[in-house]
Amino acid sequence: MPKNTIIEAKTYTCQYVEREDRLLLTINYQDISNRVDFWITRKFLLKLLPYFFDYMSSVPQAIEKQNNSNGTTSTDTSTFVLTQKEPFLLDSVDLGYMQNGDIKIVFKNTEKNIFCVGALEHILFENLVELITKSVPVVEWGAYNIK
C-alpha cells in the first residue's frame, strides 16, 4: 500500500478550465515541492457545497471581521503556470472544528493517498468557499444560486 502524502495547505487558487469542464483547485502554487492540483467535478462540487454552507452558517455571531484584510492576495499567473503539475481528482473532503474554533479541512485523493490539510479561521474558510463558488460557470453547470 502506498504511503500517505500529507501536505500543509497554506494557499488556495481556483479556476474553471473550460477544456476539462472542471474546476482546478491548486494548493500552495508558489511552493513547487508542496504544490498539489486537484480537479473538482461539477457532480462532486454540488455534493460538497451543502457541507461548506453548513459550516459557514455555524459561524458564531461573536466573531468579528477584523480590519479590512480578508487574507487574500492575487495569484501570480506566471508562477502559477510555471509550477503547474498534473492534477489529481479530488474525491473526498473532510471538515471539522479544531479546539481553537478554526475549521480543519482536508482535501484528498484516496487513489494516490494525497492529503492536503488546512486550518482556517472562519473568515478564511468563507473566503475559500467564495473563491471556489466564484470560479463555477453558473449557467453551464446549472448552479445559479451559489454566487
XYZ file of all heavy atoms in Angstrom, residues 57-104:
365
model
N -22.591 28.779 7.945
C -23.725 29.287 8.718
C -23.569 29.043 10.207
O -24.268 29.648 11.006
C -25.032 28.668 8.218
O -25.056 27.284 8.496
N -22.643 28.180 10.586
C -22.462 27.900 12.013
C -21.413 28.803 12.653
O -21.022 28.582 13.784
C -22.065 26.434 12.216
O -20.793 26.195 11.660
N -21.000 29.829 11.933
C -20.020 30.770 12.476
C -20.639 31.503 13.658
O -21.719 32.078 13.541
C -19.580 31.788 11.394
C -18.674 32.850 11.989
C -18.898 31.073 10.255
N -19.983 31.491 14.806
C -20.513 32.213 15.962
C -20.667 33.699 15.653
O -19.807 34.298 15.022
C -19.454 31.991 17.042
C -18.695 30.781 16.602
C -18.750 30.779 15.105
N -21.766 34.273 16.086
C -22.036 35.688 15.839
C -21.031 36.595 16.531
O -20.843 37.730 16.131
C -23.455 36.040 16.293
C -24.533 35.315 15.516
C -24.484 35.611 14.034
O -24.256 36.740 13.632
N -24.682 34.587 13.213
N -20.386 36.102 17.575
C -19.450 36.930 18.335
C -18.162 37.198 17.565
O -17.418 38.103 17.894
C -19.119 36.250 19.657
N -17.881 36.398 16.547
C -16.648 36.600 15.793
C -16.810 37.812 14.895
O -17.716 37.886 14.080
C -16.314 35.357 14.943
C -15.975 34.182 15.856
C -15.161 35.648 13.991
C -15.678 32.907 15.122
N -15.929 38.775 15.071
C -15.983 39.986 14.259
C -14.966 39.881 13.142
O -13.904 39.302 13.307
C -15.658 41.213 15.122
C -16.687 41.481 16.188
C -16.327 42.722 16.996
O -15.600 43.581 16.469
O -16.777 42.802 18.132
N -15.302 40.461 12.025
C -14.350 40.527 10.928
C -13.388 41.656 11.256
O -13.769 42.816 11.259
C -15.062 40.756 9.604
C -15.954 39.597 9.227
C -16.614 39.825 7.900
C -17.522 38.656 7.583
N -18.203 38.812 6.322
N -12.150 41.278 11.549
C -11.163 42.268 11.964
C -10.572 42.969 10.761
O -10.259 42.342 9.759
C -10.063 41.589 12.771
C -10.588 40.988 14.051
C -9.492 40.284 14.808
O -8.408 40.072 14.302
N -9.791 39.921 16.032
N -10.393 44.249 10.852
C -9.911 45.170 9.828
C -10.436 44.803 8.443
O -11.341 44.026 8.302
C -8.380 45.322 9.883
C -7.634 44.037 9.586
O -8.015 43.281 8.718
N -6.562 43.808 10.327
N -9.864 45.393 7.420
C -10.349 45.146 6.068
C -9.604 44.023 5.374
O -9.927 43.667 4.250
C -10.227 46.428 5.224
C -11.203 47.479 5.681
O -12.250 47.158 6.225
N -10.862 48.745 5.471
N -8.623 43.450 6.004
C -7.851 42.369 5.390
C -8.666 41.094 5.404
O -9.148 40.652 6.430
C -6.556 42.161 6.162
O -5.885 41.043 5.658
N -8.812 40.503 4.232
C -9.577 39.258 4.161
C -8.679 38.063 3.934
O -9.156 36.975 3.661
C -10.656 39.346 3.072
C -10.072 39.547 1.689
O -8.864 39.547 1.493
N -10.938 39.717 0.722
N -7.361 38.241 4.033
C -6.435 37.130 3.910
C -6.217 36.660 2.487
O -5.716 35.565 2.280
N -6.585 37.463 1.500
C -6.416 37.042 0.118
C -5.414 37.925 -0.600
O -5.253 39.099 -0.278
C -7.753 37.082 -0.652
O -8.229 38.426 -0.669
C -8.788 36.179 -0.020
N -4.743 37.331 -1.557
C -3.835 38.062 -2.437
C -4.035 37.541 -3.847
O -4.536 36.439 -4.041
C -2.354 37.872 -2.035
O -2.051 36.482 -2.057
C -2.058 38.444 -0.667
N -3.620 38.315 -4.817
C -3.753 37.903 -6.208
C -2.751 36.808 -6.536
O -1.652 36.767 -6.000
C -3.516 39.089 -7.139
O -4.496 40.071 -6.927
N -3.150 35.941 -7.445
C -2.271 34.877 -7.910
C -1.319 35.424 -8.959
O -1.743 36.109 -9.888
C -3.107 33.728 -8.518
O -3.963 33.214 -7.506
C -2.226 32.616 -9.056
N -0.047 35.115 -8.815
C 0.951 35.471 -9.821
C 0.817 34.463 -10.955
O 1.236 33.316 -10.838
C 2.349 35.421 -9.201
C 3.459 35.702 -10.189
O 3.180 35.856 -11.395
O 4.619 35.751 -9.764
N 0.211 34.887 -12.046
C -0.123 33.983 -13.145
C 1.104 33.287 -13.713
O 1.050 32.088 -14.018
C -0.858 34.750 -14.262
O -1.947 35.460 -13.673
C -1.392 33.817 -15.311
N 2.208 33.981 -13.858
C 3.398 33.348 -14.434
C 3.930 32.240 -13.521
O 4.283 31.161 -13.991
C 4.482 34.377 -14.733
O 4.855 35.055 -13.559
N 3.966 32.491 -12.216
C 4.393 31.449 -11.272
C 3.413 30.290 -11.290
O 3.811 29.126 -11.272
C 4.501 32.025 -9.841
O 5.425 33.104 -9.849
C 4.940 30.963 -8.850
N 2.134 30.606 -11.350
C 1.103 29.574 -11.364
C 1.311 28.611 -12.533
O 1.296 27.403 -12.375
C -0.284 30.221 -11.441
C -1.406 29.233 -11.410
C -1.865 28.720 -10.203
C -2.014 28.797 -12.575
C -2.896 27.806 -10.164
C -3.044 27.889 -12.543
C -3.483 27.380 -11.335
N 1.531 29.158 -13.721
C 1.681 28.336 -14.928
C 3.002 27.572 -14.907
O 3.049 26.391 -15.232
C 1.563 29.209 -16.199
C 1.917 28.430 -17.447
C 0.160 29.780 -16.306
N 4.072 28.229 -14.496
C 5.392 27.588 -14.497
C 5.490 26.409 -13.536
O 6.242 25.470 -13.773
C 6.478 28.609 -14.152
C 6.831 29.593 -15.255
C 7.797 30.657 -14.738
C 7.432 28.883 -16.456
N 4.759 26.466 -12.443
C 4.861 25.407 -11.430
C 3.728 24.388 -11.516
O 3.635 23.513 -10.656
C 4.894 26.012 -10.017
O 3.684 26.744 -9.788
C 6.094 26.913 -9.827
N 2.891 24.482 -12.547
C 1.732 23.593 -12.640
C 2.145 22.127 -12.729
O 3.130 21.782 -13.388
C 0.864 23.954 -13.844
C -0.450 23.210 -13.851
C -1.455 23.835 -14.798
O -1.160 24.781 -15.511
N -2.652 23.308 -14.794
N 1.395 21.298 -12.041
C 1.626 19.858 -12.022
C 0.398 19.153 -12.594
O -0.648 19.755 -12.795
C 1.867 19.371 -10.588
C 3.137 19.912 -9.969
C 3.352 19.319 -8.590
C 4.682 19.746 -8.021
N 4.948 19.131 -6.727
N 0.538 17.859 -12.817
C -0.596 17.058 -13.287
C -1.640 16.998 -12.172
O -1.349 16.555 -11.059
C -0.131 15.643 -13.639
C -1.201 14.781 -14.239
C -1.655 15.242 -15.611
O -0.846 15.825 -16.352
O -2.842 15.027 -15.931
N -2.872 17.444 -12.452
C -3.899 17.441 -11.405
C -4.383 16.036 -11.033
O -4.394 15.132 -11.865
C -5.052 18.235 -12.026
C -4.450 18.983 -13.161
C -3.322 18.134 -13.655
N -4.760 15.893 -9.773
C -5.382 14.681 -9.266
C -6.871 14.965 -9.094
O -7.258 16.098 -8.811
C -4.803 14.292 -7.899
C -3.332 14.037 -7.918
C -2.442 14.984 -7.423
C -2.818 12.860 -8.427
C -1.087 14.760 -7.429
C -1.454 12.621 -8.440
C -0.586 13.578 -7.942
N -7.683 13.951 -9.203
C -9.117 14.103 -8.983
C -9.385 14.230 -7.489
O -8.952 13.395 -6.691
C -9.874 12.901 -9.544
C -11.389 12.993 -9.488
C -11.899 14.132 -10.381
C -12.006 11.677 -9.929
N -10.070 15.302 -7.101
C -10.478 15.467 -5.706
C -11.648 14.524 -5.469
O -12.688 14.648 -6.105
C -10.889 16.915 -5.427
C -11.316 17.229 -3.994
C -10.136 17.080 -3.034
C -11.891 18.627 -3.905
N -11.458 13.561 -4.571
C -12.539 12.596 -4.367
C -13.092 12.574 -2.956
O -14.048 11.866 -2.666
C -12.122 11.185 -4.798
C -10.910 10.639 -4.073
O -10.642 11.045 -2.934
O -10.230 9.779 -4.654
N -12.522 13.407 -2.064
C -13.023 13.438 -0.700
C -12.560 14.718 -0.012
O -11.457 15.196 -0.265
C -12.498 12.216 0.067
O -12.967 12.203 1.389
N -13.421 15.247 0.843
C -13.081 16.409 1.666
C -13.624 16.149 3.062
O -14.779 15.771 3.220
C -13.693 17.719 1.099
C -13.426 18.880 2.039
C -13.151 18.008 -0.292
N -12.770 16.328 4.051
C -13.191 16.221 5.445
C -13.210 17.617 6.056
O -12.305 18.412 5.818
C -12.232 15.355 6.258
C -12.302 13.887 5.899
O -13.297 13.470 5.280
O -11.350 13.154 6.237
N -14.239 17.888 6.850
C -14.361 19.156 7.567
C -14.571 18.861 9.045
O -15.257 17.902 9.395
C -15.566 19.946 7.054
C -15.474 20.509 5.640
C -16.844 20.963 5.168
C -14.492 21.645 5.601
N -14.008 19.700 9.880
C -14.217 19.551 11.310
C -13.730 20.779 12.046
O -12.979 21.594 11.501
N -14.166 20.908 13.286
C -13.732 22.033 14.109
C -12.535 21.615 14.949
O -12.483 20.509 15.474
C -14.857 22.509 15.026
C -15.908 23.297 14.301
C -17.132 22.729 13.988
C -15.659 24.601 13.900
C -18.096 23.457 13.301
C -16.613 25.331 13.213
C -17.826 24.749 12.921
O -18.762 25.464 12.231
N -11.603 22.539 15.081
C -10.453 22.326 15.948
C -10.785 22.896 17.325
O -11.771 23.618 17.480
C -9.230 23.009 15.333
C -8.904 22.466 13.938
S -7.579 23.344 13.117
C -6.200 22.902 14.130
N -9.978 22.592 18.318
C -10.242 23.059 19.678
C -10.273 24.578 19.772
O -11.021 25.133 20.566
C -9.205 22.505 20.651
C -9.408 21.056 20.968
C -8.429 20.558 22.015
O -7.387 21.162 22.262
N -8.774 19.442 22.634
N -9.488 25.268 18.941
C -9.456 26.724 18.993
C -10.595 27.371 18.193
O -10.671 28.585 18.108
C -8.102 27.253 18.513
C -7.850 26.975 17.048
O -8.664 26.355 16.356
N -6.703 27.414 16.568
N -11.468 26.554 17.595
C -12.605 27.071 16.842
C -12.356 27.200 15.353
O -13.279 27.447 14.588
N -11.100 27.042 14.919
C -10.810 27.071 13.487
C -11.411 25.844 12.808
O -11.730 24.847 13.469
C -9.302 27.094 13.230
C -8.654 28.417 13.611
O -9.383 29.382 13.932
O -7.413 28.478 13.592
N -11.541 25.937 11.520
C -12.079 24.821 10.747
C -10.918 24.067 10.107
O -10.075 24.660 9.435
C -13.060 25.315 9.667
C -14.266 25.963 10.344
C -13.488 24.168 8.761
C -15.215 26.663 9.404
N -10.888 22.778 10.338
C -9.885 21.922 9.705
C -10.503 21.357 8.436
O -11.611 20.836 8.456
C -9.474 20.781 10.637
C -8.442 19.854 10.027
C -8.055 18.761 11.000
C -7.046 17.818 10.379
N -6.674 16.745 11.316
